Amino acid sequence: MDSAEYERKIASRFAAFDQDHNGSIDREDFSRAAAAVLAEFSVTARSDRGQAVYIGAEAFWQGMAGIADVDGDQRVSREEFVTGAAKRLRDNPERFGEIARPFLHAVYAVADEDGQGVTPQAAARVMRALGIDGQIADGAAAALDADSDGRISEQEVHTAFAAYCVTPEQPR
């Protein structure tokens, strides 16, 4: 895959982070994402799990800003995301996953409603709350349950998220 095609694919990831669709990613986008997940699972912001989601969202924002906010304006433009985050993380998707880990951990705890692991249905609810089309969310969540046991491990979520955000899709 050539560099231009890779950058186009990464630019499509940008849209998932731009929750308010204003053309840049900022702290508010991460707060919106946290609020959407909490609302989907009827978890209050002031609860321990709610606070963990907001703290994780802030940590995720700080990590992304540290990597991609080249001009220091507290916003990550599409160009900064493509040229900053993508190029710095292309060969190390695990680093992006580490930046997201506190948020993913907290969201996983919210979506794991019975303490037995996240179900594909709960994972799809998270994705839909974050603005992913329902059919795409359902398919992606089902694919995360690789062993078809009805549960998705936190590590599977972490690995898949990192791979999706910074690596191109493989040809099918």
Side-chain angles (χ1 to χ4, degrees):
M1 173 178 302
D2 68 24
S3 180
E5 183 179 353
Y6 177 79
E7 288 183 12
R8 279 192 303 276
K9 288 188 180 287
I10 293 302
S12 73
R13 281 26 173 199
F14 173 84
F17 287 106
D18 185 11
Q19 291 283 299
D20 59 9
H21 311 290
N22 70 352
S24 64
I25 302 168
D26 58 25
R27 177 178 278 112
E28 184 60 30
D29 290 310
F30 286 84
S31 292
R32 282 178 190 270
V37 169
L38 294 178
E40 175 63 30
F41 289 90
S42 301
V43 174
T44 63
R46 291 186 180 202
S47 69
D48 289 343
R49 291 187 308 154
Q51 286 297 295
V53 170
Y54 276 105
I55 289 167
E58 176 63 19
F60 193 2
W61 160 245
Q62 290 294 328
M64 181 180 287
I67 288 173
D69 184 16
V70 177
D71 61 11
D73 67 353
Q74 293 298 298
R75 294 183 330 209
V76 176
S77 68
R78 181 180 178 277
E79 182 178 336
E80 285 175 319
F81 186 80
V82 170
T83 61
K87 288 187 178 178
R88 289 184 183 153
L89 300 174
R90 182 176 186 171
D91 296 325
N92 189 4
E94 295 80 22
R95 182 167 178 219
F96 195 76
E98 288 306 313
I99 292 166
R101 188 178 292 277
F103 181 67
L104 294 175
H105 177 73
V107 169
Y108 188 90
V110 166
D112 183 2
E113 297 177 288
D114 64 5
Q116 301 295 312
V118 171
T119 64
Q121 295 80 11
R125 287 175 62 195
V126 169
M127 289 183 227
R128 284 191 301 270
L130 295 175
I132 296 172
D133 174 79
Q135 286 185 321
I136 293 171
D138 291 343
L144 287 173
D145 185 15
D147 62 4
S148 300
D149 69 351
R151 301 296 170 154
I152 302 165
S153 74
E154 188 171 348
Q155 185 57 47
E156 288 170 320
V157 170
H158 182 265
T159 300
F161 183 80
Y164 170 78
C165 287
V166 299
T167 59
E169 292 99 3
Q170 298 301 313
R172 294 175 193 202

